[in-house]
Amino acid sequence: MLQNDHKQDAPSVLLISVDALKPEFVFEQERLGVHLPNITNYFLENGLTAPDGMKSVFPTFTYPCHQSMITGTSPATHGIVNNGIFDPDGKHLGAWHWFANTRVMTLWEAARKNGYWSASVAFPTSVG
């Protein structure tokens, strides 16, 4: 049950990100000799994907892209501009941006603030 009864009929959203899956591998499978039956069934045949794919942010690394997806902001705003953190002294032992940002609200924070439930499994830059 949702936190607020009036949200019971609200639509559900499932966000799935497949890192490094280029749109042409989904939309041009036959031409490229790629066979993705589950993605084709769930997303293409059921119309659950944008026909032109997504436009990426720059830089096009995993962590800046994922952070932009869950915040709706650019790397210049959320502050994650690379997979690894800037660590010229080597104090963080090559750490990556596995943690959540503190500059902008994420999708799940906005959901919670508005009475919705949310969950995340292994989504980069979303710990917390």
Side-chain angles (χ1 to χ4, degrees):
M1 183 172 184
L2 295 172
Q3 293 174 356
N4 296 327
D5 289 338
H6 70 278
K7 301 248 191 296
Q8 286 180 351
D9 295 327
S12 296
V13 175
L14 176 63
L15 171 63
I16 297 175
S17 173
V18 181
D19 193 21
L21 180 62
K22 296 172 72 176
E24 51 266 32
F25 288 124
V26 175
F27 298 111
E28 301 175 41
Q29 292 180 47
E30 187 174 325
R31 180 181 72 80
L32 296 172
V34 176
H35 184 62
L36 304 171
N38 291 328
I39 288 176
T40 299
N41 178 49
Y42 290 110
F43 299 103
L44 296 180
E45 293 172 3
N46 290 307
L48 298 174
T49 187
D52 296 327
M54 284 185 64
K55 292 185 181 191
S56 190
V57 296
F58 183 82
T60 57
F61 296 119
T62 297
Y63 286 15
C65 290
H66 280 82
Q67 188 64 197
S68 293
M69 280 190 271
I70 65 170
T71 64
T73 64
S74 70
T77 301
H78 59 63
I80 297 177
V81 297
N82 202 336
N83 288 339
I85 61 172
F86 182 67
D87 184 24
D89 296 329
K91 293 179 181 178
H92 299 286
L93 306 173
W96 286 38
H97 282 290
W98 56 267
F99 48 86
N101 82 73
T102 56
R103 292 186 181 186
V104 293
M105 188 180 302
T106 65
L107 176 61
W108 15 94
E109 290 169 330
R112 183 180 331 120
K113 181 179 176 182
N114 288 284
Y116 291 92
W117 288 90
S118 66
S120 173
V121 177
F123 203 91
T125 71
S126 65
V127 172

